[in-house]
Amino acid sequence: MDGTEGNVGQPGPAERSHRSSVSSVGAREVQLKPKHQPYKLGRQWPELLLRFTDAPDDDVAMDEPSLQFRRNVFFPKRRELQIHDEEVLRLLYEEAKGNVLAARYPCDVEDCEALGALVCRVQLGPYQPGQPTACAVREKLDSFLPAHLCKRGHGLFAALRGRGAKAGPGEQGLLNAYCKVKEAAGGDSGRGASLSTHYRAYLLKSHELPFYGCAFFHGEVDKPAQGFLHRGGRKPVVVAISLEGVHVIDSREKHVLLGLRFQELSWDHTSPEEEESVLWLEFDGDNEGTPVNRLLKIYSKQAELMSGLIEYCIELNQTSELATPQETVSGPPSAASSLPSPAQRPQLQRQGSVVCSRLQHLSTIDYVEEGQQIKRVKPKRTTSFFSRQLSVGQGSYTVVQPADSLEQG
């Protein structure tokens, strides 16, 4: 495996697309590098928990890490579609499905139904009109849809619900999507047929999610001040970092609060020695109709890890861009070659989509000079508050400088 010591020869498809990951009951995860030895890391696990989490000492003492086979965060999505090994595709499909069902990948209802329909096809075979299919879907509904779309009655009412009862909204939408799943042309469409087509279809749909294939980190952000006393507080968030950018996800509401490509941000972090461990994200914003720079403060003991991953992803992307013209793909043409590239596929832009940013739910610092908070300014453009960002000319991120007179209110 690519995540452990002792590799011999060239890695196979599964080894390139997957790495070992160590995680604990507290949902804290570490993707292993080739030099890491799981046994040694397991012995150091309590020290890592104390350094990078806020877990109580009792929980740290009782926690047991587990070694898992996970998708490699640095494996490009375009290369997934070039994989032909059905077992590797199944591994990628199972991990993506698990993240959708656990709501780690926030999805709109329409996308949950489309993805759930493909799971129905894999587990139940081709759609067969009639009551047996509806019953089979109803009995395993939580295997196809996230829990919040599987709400059912409890107690006596649920017990008396007969087999002919009307399907709920999520269940009916799933059935409608299930009957539209297309079968491979010219192939055996039975339950024992090759499932590669459906695994690849699930991955292709998952690729539309901007945080697909990311690494997850935990933290908190400030809430906007509310009420007469302007009370704020903090809310728990998950920070999802992939090769494409950074997404801050509301842990409770399961929707995106902020999504930024690397070209749209600058970043830095403060260590616990300086003050509370914080990841800072800087990006363009708008204050009462005026362009400003915004700072988002993410409190997390994992700030150092997140900063390092952002830096490495940017370096990896720049290296890949230089190497792409020389790369050639040998072998016979495949189904993947006829699929649209990630850049060609439409992004999810539904109004109110869970993957759209919700800046109104965040408390940011708007500034034009040395981090000063402002309300109204007459801006000019200048250098960034932070020095860590993509090289000049590669990104679209710009910054703001105050005019000679700064109007504050």
Side-chain angles (χ1 to χ4, degrees), residues 144-202:
F144 310 128
L145 295 175
H148 65 278
L149 297 180
C150 300
K151 295 179 180 178
R152 298 172 176 171
H154 296 281
L156 181 61
F157 178 79
L160 294 176
R161 183 179 179 182
R163 287 183 173 267
K166 185 178 179 181
E171 182 181 335
Q172 188 58 54
L174 178 63
L175 287 170
N176 293 340
Y178 184 15
C179 70
K180 297 176 183 177
V181 174
K182 297 180 180 179
E183 297 298 327
D188 181 8
S189 61
R191 190 165 181 174
S194 172
L195 297 173
S196 296
T197 301
H198 304 296
Y199 292 151
R200 188 174 281 110
Y202 193 98

Side-chain angles (χ1 to χ4, degrees), residues 130-150:
Q131 196 60 35
T133 298
C135 291
V137 169
R138 182 176 302 161
E139 290 170 0
K140 298 181 178 181
L141 194 59
D142 56 0
S143 298
F144 310 128
L145 295 175
H148 65 278
L149 297 180
C150 300

Side-chain angles (χ1 to χ4, degrees), residues 22-210:
V22 177
S23 66
S24 71
V25 178
R28 301 304 190 263
E29 304 163 7
V30 176
Q31 177 172 290
L32 303 191
K33 297 178 180 178
K35 66 180 181 180
H36 285 148
Q37 297 182 14
Y39 174 72
K40 289 184 177 180
L41 201 64
R43 296 194 64 176
Q44 297 171 352
W45 192 248
E47 299 173 23
L48 294 172
L49 290 179
L50 289 172
R51 180 180 176 185
F52 295 115
T53 76
D54 296 310
D57 292 343
D58 291 344
D59 290 350
V60 170
M62 297 295 293
D63 197 52
E64 288 284 345
S66 63
L67 185 65
Q68 301 175 0
F69 201 44
R70 294 273 185 92
R71 183 189 185 279
N72 188 343
V73 174
F74 308 120
F75 192 71
K77 291 189 291 187
R78 56 182 169 78
R79 291 185 59 190
E80 282 190 0
L81 303 179
Q82 298 169 0
I83 295 174
H84 302 287
D85 189 305
E86 182 171 320
E87 188 60 21
V88 178
L89 289 172
R90 186 189 67 81
L91 290 172
L92 292 166
Y93 155 81
E94 290 288 352
E95 181 170 344
K97 180 187 73 172
N99 285 328
V100 170
L101 294 179
R104 298 184 84 189
Y105 290 169
C107 295
D108 294 324
V109 174
E110 300 94 326
D111 299 307
C112 287
E113 292 170 352
L115 291 168
L118 290 167
V119 180
C120 288
R121 170 60 186 87
V122 169
Q123 295 187 10
L124 304 177
Y127 178 80
Q128 300 292 338
Q131 196 60 35
T133 298
C135 291
V137 169
R138 182 176 302 161
E139 290 170 0
K140 298 181 178 181
L141 194 59
D142 56 0
S143 298
F144 310 128
L145 295 175
H148 65 278
L149 297 180
C150 300
K151 295 179 180 178
R152 298 172 176 171
H154 296 281
L156 181 61
F157 178 79
L160 294 176
R161 183 179 179 182
R163 287 183 173 267
K166 185 178 179 181
E171 182 181 335
Q172 188 58 54
L174 178 63
L175 287 170
N176 293 340
Y178 184 15
C179 70
K180 297 176 183 177
V181 174
K182 297 180 180 179
E183 297 298 327
D188 181 8
S189 61
R191 190 165 181 174
S194 172
L195 297 173
S196 296
T197 301
H198 304 296
Y199 292 151
R200 188 174 281 110
Y202 193 98
L203 294 174
L204 185 62
K205 183 66 178 175
S206 299
H207 287 184
E208 295 178 7
L209 302 172

Side-chain angles (χ1 to χ4, degrees), residues 256-328:
V256 172
L257 296 170
L258 176 67
L260 296 169
R261 294 174 298 167
F262 291 128
Q263 298 92 332
E264 299 171 327
L265 63 86
S266 294
W267 87 99
D268 211 334
H269 78 279
T270 53
S271 63
E273 291 77 17
E274 302 172 32
E275 55 175 291
E276 189 172 2
S277 183
V278 170
L279 177 73
W280 296 87
L281 298 180
E282 181 189 49
F283 54 98
D284 283 342
D286 180 276
N287 190 312
E288 299 184 2
T290 301
V292 296
N293 299 114
R294 283 189 157 174
L295 288 174
L296 177 64
K297 195 174 183 180
I298 303 174
Y299 306 90
S300 174
K301 282 192 172 183
Q302 299 172 314
E304 181 183 354
L305 298 177
M306 290 188 273
S307 179
L309 182 56
I310 292 173
E311 185 168 13
Y312 185 75
C313 285
I314 289 175
E315 292 176 357
L316 199 62
N317 284 333
Q318 292 173 338
T319 303
S320 299
E321 288 172 5
L322 294 174
T324 298
Q326 288 112 20
E327 286 185 358
T328 57

